[in-house]
Amino acid sequence: MDLNELWSHIRFASPATQAALWALGLVLLAIFSIWSDNRRVKRSSPDAVGFMPWTFIALASLFVAAGLAIAAVKGWKAA
């Protein structure tokens, strides 16, 4: 399967499948945010303060991902 065929399958997928894919992407973003927050907590120089709110990004993305996952399941059950 080449990339054009894969993109075609994703683009013409049902709204429930697209919601599930967005939820998966947001879960991956949350995992990256949690990893980044752990790196920030364990840094060697306490004066090197970052500006990204990693905890908020993780919680917000997980909250939206949960809503999208619920919508996806409801969409799959209705079909």
Side-chain angles (χ1 to χ4, degrees), residues 4-71:
N4 287 332
E5 187 177 350
L6 178 65
W7 176 248
S8 177
H9 284 296
I10 292 172
R11 187 175 53 182
F12 295 117
S14 70
T17 303
Q18 288 182 355
L21 290 173
W22 276 105
L24 176 65
L26 287 171
V27 167
L28 292 175
L29 175 65
I31 290 170
F32 174 75
S33 298
I34 292 168
W35 175 73
S36 297
D37 191 43
N38 284 337
R39 283 189 61 214
R40 183 189 61 82
V41 168
K42 295 178 183 177
R43 66 180 177 259
S44 60
S45 175
D47 292 332
V49 178
F51 66 93
M52 292 300 292
W54 292 117
T55 306
F56 175 75
I57 292 171
L59 290 175
S61 62
L62 283 175
F63 182 74
V64 175
L68 285 170
I70 290 170

